[in-house]
Amino acid sequence: MGNWKFGGDLSGVKRCPHCAIANPQMVQMWKSQILEDPDNPDRGKQWGAFRCSTCANLILAEGEYCHRARPGAGFPINEAIETIYPGTKSVAKELPASAKTYLEQAGNTLHAPDASVLMSGSAVDAMLKHLGYNEGSLYSRIDKAVEDHVLTDGMGRWAHKVRLESNNVRHADANRPHMTKEDAERALEFTRSLGDFLFVLTAKIDAAVAASGESSN
């Protein structure tokens, strides 16, 4: 989490979890009193709210607080912020490199929805190519993945939706050339979920099967 502390503006946040602007200025708006742990009065929780100066949305911060003073001093030894809500989402390391790069760019450009949707569409394309679906248009490759039961029918419909929205932007569709932030967020969330299903879950299952095999020997 870095050296985040209560008592001033929150620096060191790489991107605002709401608008995705880089290195946002997070201004402290409120800080709670110490909420002591009933089982350990030396320790407690503290909460604070910070506002992004770009989009004006708030994040909530949670931290530990210790009343025990350093030797010879009368101030707390720790009031560090440990977690912020909502947190910034990272891209799963199990994804193929190209899909991972596209997804990172989709998350970093949510403030520019057209660009974000394009990157989500490219991430879907990259995932299918990594699985061997290289021939034909993205339309036909999605359908082929559904036919092969690599994607469920529902996943296929969502993948086509992301593809169509990406095409609208790419070809400046006369009826709907631009996406909204909500469109971009939905496309990104689906594409992340698709990556989790195709690669993250598979990796976890493979690791569990391997561990089970080792333990039975």
Side-chain angles (χ1 to χ4, degrees):
M1 290 284 102
N3 296 319
W4 295 348
K5 291 185 177 292
F6 294 107
D9 292 352
L10 189 61
S11 60
V13 179
K14 292 184 178 179
R15 289 191 179 272
C16 172
H18 297 289
C19 68
I21 191 169
N23 303 313
Q25 181 185 7
M26 291 290 184
V27 181
Q28 183 168 294
M29 306 297 292
W30 166 79
K31 181 174 71 170
S32 76
Q33 296 179 333
I34 308 304
L35 307 174
E36 290 185 350
D37 183 342
D39 297 323
N40 183 355
D42 283 335
R43 306 194 70 85
K45 289 284 189 183
Q46 191 166 27
W47 296 85
F50 296 83
R51 177 179 57 83
C52 173
S53 62
T54 300
C55 68
N57 284 309
L58 297 178
I59 64 171
L60 187 64
E62 174 192 10
E64 294 280 348
Y65 197 98
C66 183
H67 288 281
R68 292 173 295 177
R70 295 187 182 98
F75 48 85
I77 63 171
N78 182 35
E79 56 175 340
I81 293 171
E82 295 184 336
T83 310
I84 62 172
Y85 306 95
T88 53
K89 292 185 178 180
S90 59
V91 177
K93 64 182 184 299
E94 293 85 356
L95 267 62
S98 58
K100 187 172 184 289
T101 298
Y102 285 130
L103 263 183
E104 287 171 345
Q105 293 179 9
N108 292 342
T109 55
L110 280 174
H111 60 285
D114 289 346
S116 182
V117 168
L118 275 172
M119 292 300 98
S120 289
S122 295
V124 172
D125 193 8
M127 289 179 199
L128 290 177
K129 285 179 176 175
H130 184 83
L131 293 174
Y133 294 93
N134 295 294
E135 301 299 324
S137 64
L138 180 55
Y139 176 93
S140 64
R141 286 184 282 120
I142 291 171
D143 282 353
K144 179 60 176 170
V146 173
E147 179 184 329
D148 292 344
H149 304 293
V150 172
L151 302 180
T152 66
D153 288 340
M155 289 176 184
R157 288 193 296 272
W158 259 109
H160 277 306
K161 180 175 176 59
V162 174
R163 174 188 62 83
L164 287 169
E165 290 180 342
S166 180
N167 282 345
N168 285 352
V169 174
R170 184 177 292 109
H171 302 298
D173 183 86
N175 295 318
R176 194 172 179 233
H178 299 295
M179 298 295 108
T180 66
K181 187 170 184 288
E182 289 72 23
D183 294 328
E185 288 172 343
R186 281 193 296 270
L188 176 58
E189 187 61 30
F190 163 76
T191 309
R192 280 185 175 138
S193 298
L194 183 64
D196 288 346
F197 177 80
L198 293 175
F199 300 101
V200 179
L201 182 59
T202 299
K204 288 181 178 179
I205 291 172
D206 290 344
V209 169
S212 176
E214 292 173 2
S215 63
S216 63
N217 292 333

